[in-house]
Amino acid sequence: MPEIKYAIFDIGQTIYPFTLQPLITHMQRETTEPKVFARNHSPQFYDYNPYMKGEMTDVEFAEELCFFCRVPYNENRLQEINTALHQGCGERFSETLKAINLLRQHGTNISLLSNALPLLADTGTDITKPDLVFTSYNLGLLKPDTAIFQTVLNKLNTAPEQTLFLDDKKANVEAAQSLGINGIVYHPKTVLKELATYLQPHSTLSRSREA
């Protein structure tokens, strides 16, 4: 098995757990049309794709989300939405941090690739260098489009077989694998065990050299 040069992690649900519940609760409290809100007009039914692809500004997103949820828009709404979204970000998975440390011990570079909401751009990105962080709003592409994975491979100047991608969504991992990228469907309880299948050959080699 080729040495893994880059391990690319998703962010939400892979670096840390994420939920829209604080935003849902806030918008439900502020809506002027609770019956409409209850009929698939709460934040979990909003189409975030244009915003995630960078096709909308933060203000445009906040205005459209408020209209969708039947919440009157005012100058404070953007900050309220921002606060609620950040409240939905949990503590980082200890298993992910262990996985990252293990990969670094094996000389693997850590990269991030996320269909991130621009308002959450300040979460998780301190894990690695800025030039190794890739987001849908900067690339104008969304997972599981294979084009986003090819773009990242090109930017990293690495081969698929030397790359490992970890994401909680099976469809995203399968899209990466279709290009020859190694993939792990992330779950906190299994990630370290699955990661070992990629690192074990190198560990065995290192021990044989020491001997």
Side-chain angles (χ1 to χ4, degrees):
M1 179 184 296
E3 182 179 0
I4 302 298
K5 289 179 59 178
Y6 289 95
I8 306 172
F9 285 76
D10 178 36
I11 298 180
Q13 311 296 14
T14 303
I15 298 296
Y16 56 74
F18 177 73
T19 176
L20 285 172
Q21 192 54 54
L23 179 60
I24 294 169
T25 300
H26 176 74
M27 299 302 267
Q28 184 175 27
R29 185 170 58 244
E30 297 296 320
T31 187
T32 57
E33 300 182 46
K35 291 183 179 179
V36 175
F37 186 92
R39 292 197 299 270
N40 298 342
H41 277 270
S42 63
Q44 70 262 45
F45 297 106
Y46 176 76
D47 179 12
Y48 295 89
N49 285 357
Y51 183 49
M52 291 191 296
K53 289 178 69 175
E55 297 172 355
M56 307 168 65
T57 66
D58 292 342
V59 171
E60 288 170 339
F61 159 66
E63 290 175 340
E64 188 174 276
L65 179 63
C66 285
F67 176 78
F68 181 81
C69 296
R70 304 303 191 264
V71 171
Y73 186 79
N74 60 49
E75 61 182 11
N76 297 319
R77 293 301 186 205
L78 176 57
Q79 183 55 51
E80 292 169 0
I81 291 169
N82 182 45
T83 298
L85 285 171
H86 279 79
Q87 288 172 345
C89 301
E91 294 293 324
R92 294 175 180 180
F93 292 114
S94 61
E95 295 85 356
T96 299
L97 298 180
K98 290 177 183 177
I100 289 173
N101 287 335
L102 184 59
L103 284 159
R104 284 182 168 145
Q105 289 171 17
H106 283 74
T108 303
N109 296 295
I110 304 302
S111 179
L112 301 176
L113 173 60
S114 176
N115 287 352
L117 295 173
L119 282 175
L120 295 177
D122 59 339
T123 63
T125 54
D126 59 307
I127 285 175
T128 191
K129 301 175 182 177
D131 61 342
L132 297 181
V133 177
F134 305 100
T135 60
S136 54
Y137 56 84
N138 281 328
L139 299 178
L141 297 163
L142 288 171
K143 297 177 292 183
D145 185 346
T146 56
I148 196 170
F149 297 105
Q150 188 59 60
T151 298
V152 171
L153 288 176
N154 294 343
K155 288 181 177 294
L156 293 176
N157 192 28
T158 189
E161 61 271 18
Q162 294 180 308
T163 309
L164 176 64
F165 177 62
L166 301 93
D167 193 298
D168 65 296
K169 293 182 175 60
K170 184 178 180 181
N172 294 343
V173 174
E174 289 178 342
Q177 289 174 324
S178 74
L179 296 178
I181 297 171
N182 300 291
I184 292 176
V185 179
Y186 178 86
H187 191 282
K189 293 183 179 180
T190 60
V191 63
L192 292 174
K193 181 179 180 181
E194 293 191 57
L195 185 60
T197 65
Y198 292 95
L199 300 181
Q200 186 63 34
H202 310 306
S203 299
T204 302
L205 180 61
S206 296
R207 288 197 297 271
S208 65
R209 284 176 176 171
E210 291 172 359

